[in-house]
Amino acid sequence: MKWFARPSRLRAAGMLGMNERNIGYIGEYNPRRNYPLVDNKLLTKQAAEQRGIPVPALYGVIRYQHEVNAVLDVLAGREGFVIKPAQGSGGKGILVVVGRRGDRFIKSSGREIHAADVCRHVSNILAGLHSLGGRNDCAMIEALIDFDPVLGSYSHEGVPDIRVIAFKGVPVMAMMRCATHASDGKANLHQGAVGVGIDIGSGRSVRAVQNDILIDAHPDTGACFADLVIPHWERVLDLAASCVEMTGLGYLGADVVLDRECGPMLLELNARPGLAIQVANQTGLRNRLTLAAAIAARAKGHDERIALARAQFGEAG
């Protein structure tokens, strides 16, 4: 289905529009008092750790401009790390370093930067350059994900992540976002990353889209998306569904990464998940959300909600 189809055809396919999402789901099921927990990645990480949900290790937090140079002390002896704004969105302001060469840091793209560049980046984060509403922020320094080698050929110069939309504790739709050269190593579909629709039942890819065009293989690595199966799929769904209870938000997007040693880890949450996941799956959210509400009403617990979702939304279902 083309993204720019007639409205009547999109409705018939169950495509959820932005107004319906904002009013019928975000506005209805996401109390605004709970937004700070999701909009602030540091608070999300702390809440997840309290519940035993795996997250990337936190090396340090820089909160004030007079602490900027201290970031070099935090990074001493560390080959790889990620620096991100706690209140950033859309992948903005994330600096990924994969190695060092002398006194220089090597980005995932292979470009080398100096210590002064790292300090300047942290200073810009604190000033709110990358944050929601331009508010003053803090800089988080996290461990670099050593992502599962099974997914290695499906991303270029960046870590692939899995977005799962959950409603009332029921996983509804999923996609993997694969970084490309065009997206500068970021898993951002609007910048040219690939969105791969994932079957809720099995964790297998169902189709892949780049810039709203269906593709069969990764544009940089040549890896065939038809062969993709997400490891630890049940744990991915379990993690995403658990975040609904953790946040008190009925409708959310959970971004999960697969670490080589630790398996699925929560990267961040989104109280206003975008709708491009429908394009990646070539199917609409509306009907699935209606069915998810029915599943949540009759399921006796967390595990049953996930089992029913896999049976209902899986391609074999």
Side-chain angles (χ1 to χ4, degrees):
M1 174 183 298
K2 293 182 179 179
W3 181 241
F4 297 107
R6 292 177 178 273
S8 58
R9 190 180 178 198
L10 293 175
R11 284 194 296 271
M15 301 296 281
L16 186 72
M18 187 173 295
N19 288 340
E20 186 177 0
R21 179 204 65 173
N22 292 348
I23 298 171
Y25 292 94
I26 295 175
E28 179 72 17
Y29 297 101
N30 291 356
R32 294 197 65 84
R33 65 179 180 275
N34 295 348
Y35 276 38
L37 176 61
V38 176
D39 288 344
N40 188 307
K41 296 177 180 62
L42 183 57
L43 295 180
T44 300
K45 181 184 290 290
Q46 292 168 343
E49 288 177 331
Q50 290 174 1
R51 284 182 169 260
I53 295 175
V55 293
L58 182 67
Y59 292 152
V61 180
I62 305 298
R63 301 179 185 276
Y64 305 105
Q65 290 289 348
H66 70 264
E67 298 176 335
V68 167
N69 289 333
V71 70
L72 300 179
D73 296 328
V74 177
L75 300 177
R78 301 193 188 281
E79 291 290 316
F81 55 85
V82 178
I83 299 178
K84 63 176 66 172
Q87 299 177 79
S89 64
K92 296 176 183 176
I94 297 178
L95 173 64
V96 180
V97 169
V98 298
R100 302 177 80 146
R101 186 173 291 120
D103 62 350
R104 298 182 180 183
F105 299 90
I106 305 171
K107 298 176 63 176
S108 56
S109 63
R111 180 184 166 214
E112 295 183 5
I113 59 176
H114 296 275
D117 299 314
V118 175
C119 291
R120 187 178 307 110
H121 184 80
V122 171
S123 180
N124 287 337
I125 288 176
L126 300 186
L129 185 63
H130 309 292
S131 305
L132 292 165
R135 294 172 291 187
N136 289 348
D137 206 347
C138 63
M140 301 169 57
I141 305 145
E142 289 185 338
L144 181 67
I145 297 295
D146 182 16
F147 65 89
D148 195 308
V150 172
L151 305 181
S153 61
Y154 294 103
S155 198
H156 180 69
E157 299 178 353
V159 176
D161 70 6
I162 302 157
R163 160 68 59 86
V164 180
I165 289 184
F167 179 52
K168 293 189 173 184
V170 179
V172 173
M173 192 173 286
M175 70 173 170
M176 187 168 86
R177 300 181 293 192
C178 306
T180 65
H181 178 71
S183 70
D184 192 29
K186 294 183 174 65
N188 189 314
L189 269 59
H190 299 295
Q191 296 179 10
V194 176
V196 185
I198 303 296
D199 176 48
I200 287 288
S202 64
R204 293 182 175 275
S205 65
V206 291
R207 51 197 57 83
V209 176
Q210 184 184 36
N211 298 321
D212 294 341
I213 298 173
L214 288 170
I215 60 174
D216 296 319
H218 193 284
D220 301 304
T221 70
C224 179
F225 289 117
D227 300 329
L228 172 63
V229 182
I230 305 295
H232 314 296
W233 183 239
E234 189 167 358
R235 287 171 59 191
V236 171
L237 296 182
D238 176 79
L239 189 158
S242 297
C243 291
V244 171
E245 182 179 350
M246 179 184 84
T247 61
L249 300 176
Y251 179 80
L252 58 74
D255 295 340
V256 180
V257 290
L258 297 185
D259 185 82
R260 183 192 299 263
E261 296 295 330
C262 301
M265 305 179 79
L266 177 64
L267 193 62
E268 61 182 83
L269 297 172
N270 196 316
R272 316 164 193 80
L275 298 172
I277 194 169
Q278 299 177 109
V279 183
N281 282 274
Q282 294 288 286
T283 192
L285 272 166
R286 183 189 296 115
N287 296 339
R288 290 197 182 189
L289 291 168
T290 300
L291 292 169
I295 289 173
R298 73 174 186 267
K300 296 178 181 178
H302 175 86
D303 292 342
E304 187 175 356
R305 284 194 295 269
I306 293 175
L308 291 171
R310 295 184 71 180
Q312 181 71 67
F313 304 133
E315 289 208 329

